[in-house]
Amino acid sequence: MPTVAKHIVDTLAASGVNRVYGLPGDSLNGFTDALRTTDEVDWVHVRHEESAAFAASADAALTGRIAVCAGSCGPGNLHLINGVYDAKRSRVPMLVLAAHIPTPEIGTGYFQETHPQDLYRESSVYTEYVSQPEQLPRLLRIAMREALSQSGPAVLVIPGDVLTGKTDAKPQTILPTTSSILPDDEALQAAADAINGNSKVTILAGAGAAGAHDELVNLAEKLQAPVVHALRGKEHVEYDNPYDVGMTGLLGITSGYHALIEAETLIMLGTDFPYPQFYPEGATVIQVDVRGGQIGRRVSVDHPLVGTVKETVAALLPKLQVNKSSKHLDKVLKHHGKTLKNLKDLEKPDRKRIHPQHLTALINDKAADDAVFIPDVGSPVMWAARHLDMNGRRRLIGSFTHGSMANALPQSIGAQIAYPDRQVIALAGDGGLSMLMGELLTVTQNKLPVKTVVYNNDSLNFVELEMKAAGFVNYATDLSNPDFAAVANALGIKGIRVEDPKDLDKAIDEFLAHDGPALLDVVVERQELTIPPSIEKEQAEGFALFAVRTVLDGRGSELIDLAKANIRQVF
């Protein structure tokens, strides 16, 4: 009679899962041994369980299929949690196997004892404890269905002795299903009536607009509406779209900001854009989302439409009148043209220093047409949002909602394993890379041709910007970095370091052309100012106070008070 662990492996294989990301441990021995005896499911060995979860989340995000990660009891499955939380916020299907201490020892304060079912509750869409072998086949089926139907991580907490227990249950096949959800005709007509006759309509589209590109463009054309995209919507919305005017928000550009803030009617499509200060005041708001609970979280919504974006927009289009005025659109497109010119100016080379905008623009121009870009949270996300071009084949994924440092390299591992013949480029910050730098060994051990760009500015750069905006003098943000290229070479990865701007172009060519893993360590300008498209009074005050405090080095409180008063008069 097969073990519970063998039943899990056979069910994964029958369901099209052919890899599990993780780090072995004694409580997982039954499971890893079951993998050893099977040819259909591989064990992807990582150096930190957090990386296993991040790699699995990227795998699921790119393939749309369930991905699996596993951790041993106590610290092992605790390390998974951050990457699992990211998968939940990114809405990707994942099965998490969290091993537990021996069943008889639970509740005794045993070595490495935790209560994973409590710890995982917030970071998952489903969590259950398997106390005996008889439970496992049904709970496995439920967990995998929950992961797929809710697009999130489902956790099974399984003691090691349960994994080695016996079951005569047959392997199960759990496959993704698709469905369409459509609002009723009355709700659609009410939304159409609210839109018709209004000439200042703006569309805000996010990740929920994936697969609805044609419908979105047709809607924008009919309404003569500019399209603003959220960061997670960039790869789905931006390309082949003459109505796209960029992003808004903290990472956005001015044309996206004005298109949104000046709208009298706002149509939100599959987005949960989180910053209320960037929404228009007094606008009529129509929001389409397949998850009804997401509607109205950020702004008051007049017409909630619970449905999948593609089908809902297709049903709405026949009810809409053609907007004969393109004044709003023309104004924003003109603004967008100027904004793009300004961005291009920032991408120009400098003879003395390497600007991150220039580096990103070169990577963008030289990368493959179907490249997968994965930026670290922090400044690299800013450069990716503003200086990478999507074309319908390229992908841009990351920790865009959870916002975790160190996501780029481990997610690139999962992306490269999912698509071994595709160019995968990690845009890593020096802080993010060094946090999980051991995963460079995972790259070499698994012979993955991941390309890692390091934005090396010897600092937690985005944190410094946040400090300046709040009026604080930078503190505790300095990094004492090694030569990352030398580290890479020592680990069996081709390492290239660039300090002189004149060497950059050739180095990128060599880096991308290398047949195998490569790391490009680029010393970039630290004092690059990255600001949101609209400066709030508090932010302007913060930057000014930062300057005053830097000069005074903490002295002269009366001068700081005077500076505050003068800034308030300006605003």
Side-chain angles (χ1 to χ4, degrees), residues 266 268 276 279-280 283 285 287 295-302:
L266 173 63
M268 298 172 62
Y279 283 94
V285 179
Q287 185 174 1
I295 294 178
R297 287 191 172 198
R298 313 300 176 191
V299 64
S300 179
V301 172
D302 301 282

Side-chain angles (χ1 to χ4, degrees), residues 148-160:
L148 289 167
S149 64
Q150 296 196 55
S151 297
V155 182
L156 288 180
V157 178
I158 315 173

Side-chain angles (χ1 to χ4, degrees), residues 58-77:
D59 188 326
L62 292 174
T63 65
R65 300 190 300 268
I66 197 167
V68 184
C69 60
S72 58
C73 65
N77 58 57

Side-chain angles (χ1 to χ4, degrees), residues 50 53-54 78-87 402 404-405:
E50 181 179 349
F54 271 127
L78 278 173
H79 284 163
L80 287 169
I81 288 179
N82 189 50
V84 173
Y85 217 126
D86 180 78
H402 185 47
S404 173
M405 276 183 66

Side-chain angles (χ1 to χ4, degrees), residues 321-338:
Q321 299 170 1
V322 174
N323 184 3
K324 296 180 181 179
S325 172
S326 62
K327 185 177 180 181
H328 175 54
L329 174 63
D330 293 342
K331 177 183 176 183
V332 176
L333 286 176
K334 184 177 180 181
H335 194 159
H336 185 51
K338 292 179 180 178

